[in-house]
Amino acid sequence: MKLLPIFAATAALASSAHAWAPSSSAPSRPFARLSMASVTEGVDYAVPERYCTDHPNNNVPPHIAALVGRGLHTKADHPIGIVRAQIEEYFNSLPEEYKIFDAEDPIVTTKQCFDDLRLEPDHPGRSPSDTYYITDDTLLRTHTSAHQSMHLKDGYDAFLCAGDVYRRDEIDSSHYPAFHQLEAVKLFDKADMEGADGLTGEDWTKSPECETIAADLKQVLEGLMDHLFGETEKKWSEDYFPFTEPSFELEIKYQGEWLEVLGCGVVHEEVLDMAGRGDRRGWAFGLGLERLAMILFEIPDIRLFWTEDERFSSQFEEGKITKFEPYSKFPPVFKDIAFWVPEGFVENDFFEMARGVAGDLVEKIDMIDEFTNPKTNKSSKCYRITYRSMDRSLTNEEIDALQDSLRDKSAELDLEVR
Ligand code: PHE
């Protein structure tokens, strides 16, 4: 089971649990012009107008803008905040002192999110089909790695940074366009790395110093997994990220299945250079909090994290991992929609439109049929939408009404409903 893949693998984890713990490096720099209260410490990011603007290339729909600033990772009694606190507890037990950040501005620049991390100009992660843009050069962060360079520039040598991240994606029980990551970076003492001074590329990655860093990274992460899951089976594989070299992914065995939980690696020398820290070496990882919380609390559907239903929230307590008791499973309603697709059709646009119309009632969208008419060369796709509420039974009438407005809206994307 792959988890929220995007930059080759996935990632993010989280830690502490204090509401809007002030971030010493206040969400900084270029955003002042974007809005009002943007960049001071402990700022409230729940200001939808910051995200949904009338910039011609803004592609943030209102239902996404409404999620920003919910701060689930800072809520002590929410599963995301609880997992984050457990991770932080582990890092607090380590000899190095990790600075904790959790209130950076979710709006970052293309430079912070991509250039500073060596993502090529044509990297698919930059595409507006995958990413929510505010303007041409500002966006909702797609990963917490977007803050690495800023904290490194500010002089931090070891830090954790947790936050909500946003990706346009497929829709199913483990994918949601907003989720949470926790990032960590640790630089090593100069003195311990002297033997590799001046080494770059393969000379560096083959050096004993680079191996020392990779070994430390793996040991810290294995310790973290044991802290979260108890002794558990783990598997390392090589991975690729433009900002780490070498890169790895870690999978853990959970209920008989291998689950990818994080991406990590030795920070690329050019990333450190660009952050003005070219004289240092270190590691970084990023881990997905929803993935961990779904496993630990046995939460079956990623939408549940966002529900404000008491029957969900009342089940969790600060500092405790407890098994989620489904308060009921309401029946699904299936509806199919088929259309001729225009050239350059972007599936994520359609998924997003469906979420825009029906919100979290959309549990899943599967493509169930596809063909091309050999005479006209037109292609048709048929999608099955699974509607299900987590809180109540749906009526046929309300779903028919939603499906009707989905048909109407399809015209806006040049989809010719059949
Ligand atoms: N940012 C990566 C992702 O979201 C994860 C990662 C973080 C990988 C740090 C390496 C180092 O997929």
Side-chain angles (χ1 to χ4, degrees):
M1 182 168 167
K2 278 271 166 186
L3 131 96
L4 310 164
I6 203 184
F7 294 124
T10 286
L13 36 35
S15 59
S16 107
H18 321 290
W20 290 131
S23 147
S24 77
S25 104
S28 50
R29 302 156 200 177
F31 309 119
R33 69 195 148 83
L34 271 172
S35 91
M36 39 230 96
S38 58
V39 294
T40 47
E41 284 190 9
V43 63
D44 183 3
Y45 292 120
V47 184
E49 314 81 78
R50 289 188 80 217
Y51 314 107
C52 251
T53 68
D54 51 16
H55 186 281
N57 292 330
N58 181 292
N59 64 348
V60 184
H63 66 276
I64 296 297
L67 300 176
V68 191
R70 288 273 299 274
L72 304 184
H73 60 292
T74 64
K75 295 200 155 70
D77 56 359
H78 187 282
I80 299 294
I82 297 171
V83 173
R84 176 188 170 218
Q86 295 238 332
I87 295 168
E88 187 173 301
E89 185 183 277
Y90 169 77
F91 277 92
N92 282 338
S93 76
L94 300 180
E96 305 81 20
E97 199 183 315
Y98 288 82
K99 172 81 187 167
I100 310 268
F101 297 98
D102 68 0
E104 292 96 337
D105 197 326
I107 300 180
V108 297
T109 59
T110 46
K111 181 174 182 305
Q112 292 175 302
C113 204
F114 306 129
D115 302 321
D116 286 348
L117 297 165
R118 304 181 67 251
L119 269 80
E120 296 293 335
D122 59 353
H123 191 286
R126 292 181 184 250
S127 156
S129 64
D130 288 32
T131 295
Y132 293 108
Y133 279 89
I134 316 286
T135 63
D136 289 331
D137 50 15
T138 57
L139 57 129
L140 285 173
R141 63 186 162 214
T142 57
H143 55 171
T144 43
S145 303
H147 301 299
Q148 274 189 21
S149 294
M150 171 174 89
H151 296 318
L152 285 169
K153 269 185 198 139
D154 288 343
Y156 293 101
D157 292 344
F159 56 86
L160 306 179
C161 131
D164 37 329
V165 302
Y166 299 83
R167 297 179 191 177
R168 304 184 75 208
D169 209 341
E170 62 196 270
I171 295 184
D172 65 27
S173 63
S174 63
H175 291 84
Y176 198 78
F179 59 101
H180 295 79
Q181 291 192 323
L182 187 141
E183 190 90 6
V185 174
K186 174 179 152 188
L187 300 185
F188 282 64
D189 281 344
K190 258 184 171 167
D192 298 333
M193 294 287 131
E194 260 169 9
D197 273 357
L199 297 186
T200 57
E202 276 209 359
D203 293 338
W204 157 246
T205 51
K206 296 231 155 81
S207 71
E209 286 76 10
C210 184
E211 271 167 35
T212 303
I213 295 178
D216 182 73
L217 169 65
K218 288 181 175 175
Q219 192 204 319
V220 166
L221 285 169
E222 288 179 14
L224 173 62
M225 291 304 130
D226 290 344
H227 178 75
L228 292 174
F229 295 98
E231 295 278 317
T232 168
E233 260 187 274
K234 312 170 194 74
K235 185 163 83 183
W236 287 101
S237 341
E238 285 189 13
D239 205 337
Y240 172 78
F241 300 99
F243 36 97
T244 49
E245 177 69 38
S247 306
F248 312 99
E249 72 165 28
L250 177 60
E251 289 169 276
I252 58 163
K253 189 88 157 263
Y254 180 73
Q255 296 187 342
E257 238 193 296
W258 285 107
L259 296 174
E260 180 198 332
V261 288
L262 61 87
C264 65
V266 177
V267 182
H268 198 287
E269 66 223 27
E270 287 172 22
V271 171
L272 290 167
D273 249 350
M274 284 188 274
R277 306 298 299 273
D279 59 336
R280 300 290 291 273
R281 312 277 192 175
W283 54 241
F285 70 84
L287 177 147
L289 288 175
E290 271 78 357
R291 166 54 58 94
L292 293 179
M294 286 175 88
I295 301 172
L296 288 168
F297 293 85
E298 298 183 29
I299 294 175
D301 191 307
I302 195 165
R303 291 175 297 168
L304 281 163
F305 292 111
W306 297 91
T307 182
E308 284 176 328
D309 195 308
E310 260 269 303
R311 287 170 295 178
F312 180 79
S313 49
S314 64
Q315 292 195 25
F316 306 104
E317 234 182 279
E318 178 169 2
K320 287 205 184 119
I321 306 258
T322 45
K323 182 174 153 355
F324 170 64
E325 299 289 347
Y327 30 93
S328 53
K329 185 97 173 159
F330 295 93
V333 178
F334 303 105
K335 295 280 170 189
D336 294 349
I337 181 167
F339 38 70
W340 299 107
V341 298
E343 221 168 288
F345 169 65
V346 173
E347 225 175 22
N348 281 347
D349 290 346
F350 172 67
F351 296 155
E352 183 131 82
M353 189 181 71
R355 273 263 158 85
V357 168
D360 283 358
L361 296 182
V362 180
E363 175 173 282
K364 193 156 81 101
I365 302 185
D366 300 303
M367 196 182 57
I368 54 170
D369 188 35
E370 177 178 32
F371 70 90
T372 303
N373 180 323
K375 287 200 192 117
T376 61
N377 216 19
K378 282 213 271 182
S379 293
S380 160
K381 290 189 190 240
C382 179
Y383 290 91
R384 172 154 302 161
I385 304 178
T386 307
Y387 293 96
R388 191 205 302 260
S389 164
M390 291 170 296
D391 314 323
R392 61 191 175 81
S393 283
L394 299 171
T395 65
N396 248 321
E397 293 74 47
E398 73 178 313
I399 298 305
D400 283 343
L402 291 174
Q403 193 73 3
D404 281 347
S405 59
L406 191 58
R407 282 169 196 282
D408 293 345
K409 283 239 170 198
S410 298
E412 291 172 21
L413 288 180
D414 287 335
L415 306 175
E416 204 187 308
V417 180
R418 303 177 51 219

